[in-house]
């Protein structure tokens, strides 16, 4: 079964620019992608990378210069088998998460992202569905499913809901990540717990107090 | 078994002041509390409200003017049975979430909040544990468990991770909430999907497009 992962090749994760350089963002985006694809493959899925520009990667790569929705819907149109669509910025997902999604009897499994987004969709019959990302896409996807008479399971997972989009989101990756992206982030940044809200920062004060216990952070 | 819910009686949810009046915040805080306590009772838990000031509520109310950690640790010290501690601002939790937590064989079940926080803890032996909220409390709690030789399950739930603290968090309640707090929020505010990031606003433009499908929003 296919797992499609859309990936922005140039200037990925631009909203992390408040904290990370362009090289660091590229590296982090690539490592998140690696982590996610590793998890999907562990669960036996065939990964298709939907890239915005030519990209060398050890997977089937489909390059499209269309917008995300058109590109994905074109892919779905050509599929008769179930398809999972996974965003490239949800590095906390685990093989257990993916296996739980695969087990669902529903026609559509949808994992909400924060702020109304959609992070993972598992579409049993791509011929009876289309995607509509951006904005409150979670609500749009529920409606598309309803319009097509599909049963829906909302996948309740903190891991799947944590998309790394803005600097504040890096806290989740820093604290809860177990893959190479988290390892990299921890090597270039620190947790600032000195003020009310926990933040990821580039200097290293307070890093001692806020280090992640080894056992929890261990790469699986 | 006891479920302890700390509740700030005066000026609750002050960080929502950027959007809501003091009356609206009080009402919303109270309805979130009602929703959460309703869910806990559905699961057979005896609710203890740990209030910062005298408060009339149909439950056992313990009033303490101590800081949150001291007040909770004093309660834990007096307990020999398992205790669940649930924050009063996680209105998305469902009976299934609570039952899944209760099923865990681990000594400690901990549901992370966003940004390093701790939203739910289920403590099998209160004599071997203490709490340390604020800052990156999730990491502190992992360490306290480790220091006391406790096994830990991290409860992976979007519902449990969504604490309603700042105006941006209201999006989760607006979209995913099924209780009375969500119903109230939807009656006084709207979803703004006109710009990149989805927000809850007080005026009603775009509310048509962004309404929550009835079936998903239905109160259970």
């Amino acid at each position: 079964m296919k797992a499609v992962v859309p990936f922005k090749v140039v200037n990925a994760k631009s909203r992390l620019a408040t904290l990370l350089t362009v090289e660091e963002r590229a590296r982090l985006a690539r490592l998140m992608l690696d982590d996610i694809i590793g998890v999907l493959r562990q669960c036996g899925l065939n990964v298709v990378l939907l890239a915005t520009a030519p990209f060398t990667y050890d997977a089937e790569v489909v390059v499209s210069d269309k917008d995300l929705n058109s590109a994905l819907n074109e892919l779905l149109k050509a599929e008769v088998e179930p398809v999972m669509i996974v965003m490239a910025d949800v590095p906390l997902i685990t093989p257990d998460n993916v296996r739980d999604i695969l087990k669902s009897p529903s026609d559509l499994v949808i994992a909400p992202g924060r702020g109304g987004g959609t992070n993972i969709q598992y579409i049993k019959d791509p011929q009876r569905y289309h995607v509509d990302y951006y904005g409150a896409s979670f609500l749009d996807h529920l409606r598309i499913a309803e319009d097509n008479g599909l049963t829906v399971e909302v996948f309740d997972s903190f891991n799947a809901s944590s998309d790394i989009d803005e600097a504040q989101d890096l806290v989740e990756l820093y604290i809860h990540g177990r893959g190479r992206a988290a390892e990299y982030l921890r090597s270039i940044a620190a947790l600032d717990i000195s003020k009310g809200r926990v933040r990821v920062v580039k200097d290293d004060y307070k890093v001692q107090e806020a280090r992640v216990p080894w056992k929890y952070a261990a790469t699986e």
Side-chain angles (χ1 to χ4, degrees), chain A:
Chain A
M1 188 194 306
K2 271 186 195 165
V4 178
V5 181
F7 186 68
K8 191 179 170 196
V9 175
V10 179
N11 200 17
K13 297 287 106 196
S14 53
R15 286 157 78 190
L16 296 177
T18 53
L19 187 74
L20 304 180
T21 66
V22 63
E23 292 80 18
E24 287 167 340
R25 282 182 276 137
R27 179 87 190 273
L28 189 72
R30 172 59 188 259
L31 289 172
M32 291 201 293
L33 182 70
D34 292 348
D35 287 343
I36 290 163
I37 287 181
V39 164
L40 295 171
R41 283 188 171 151
Q42 267 190 65
C43 299
L45 294 165
N46 294 319
V47 174
V48 177
L49 210 61
L50 177 60
T52 52
F55 186 61
T56 308
Y57 197 90
D58 177 26
E60 186 186 334
V61 177
V62 173
V63 179
S64 175
D65 57 4
K66 295 205 167 91
D67 68 281
L68 179 65
N69 290 322
S70 306
L72 280 170
N73 286 327
E74 200 167 271
L75 273 179
L76 290 178
K77 234 179 197 167
E79 289 297 326
V80 288
E81 295 291 307
V83 173
M84 190 181 286
I85 301 173
V86 183
M87 293 295 109
D89 61 358
V90 290
L92 301 187
I93 58 162
T94 65
D96 279 346
N97 291 145
V98 175
R99 282 189 281 260
D100 284 344
I101 291 171
L102 290 171
K103 267 184 229 156
S104 173
S106 297
D107 297 325
L108 176 74
V109 184
I110 178 165
R114 301 192 318 208
T118 305
N119 287 351
I120 303 178
Q121 301 197 73
Y122 176 42
I123 303 152
K124 295 281 178 68
D125 181 357
Q127 297 297 316
R128 293 174 65 199
Y129 192 70
H130 65 276
V131 300
D132 189 357
Y133 284 91
Y134 304 119
S137 68
F138 176 79
L139 294 176
D140 295 325
H141 288 132
L142 286 189
R143 263 194 295 274
I144 294 164
E146 204 167 28
D147 290 348
N148 289 285
L150 305 182
T151 59
V152 177
E153 178 183 335
V154 176
F155 188 66
D156 174 32
S157 163
F158 170 67
N159 294 336
S161 76
S162 300
D163 45 300
I164 308 301
D165 204 32
E166 302 184 358
Q168 184 56 36
D169 304 330
L170 291 170
V171 173
E172 318 306 345
L173 180 60
Y174 196 105
I175 290 181
H176 300 283
R178 291 157 182 244
R180 290 183 58 213
E183 209 177 335
Y184 173 64
L185 178 65
R186 291 185 202 120
S187 76
I188 61 166
L191 265 196
D192 173 14
I193 56 168
S194 60
K195 289 180 206 109
R197 197 173 188 182
V198 178
R199 294 179 312 147
V200 170
V201 293
K202 276 288 204 44
D203 40 89
D204 65 358
Y205 74 112
K206 290 283 175 185
V207 65
Q208 283 289 71
E209 277 181 60
R211 76 183 188 285
V212 179
W214 180 82
K215 272 204 293 191
Y216 184 60
T219 308
E220 280 171 308

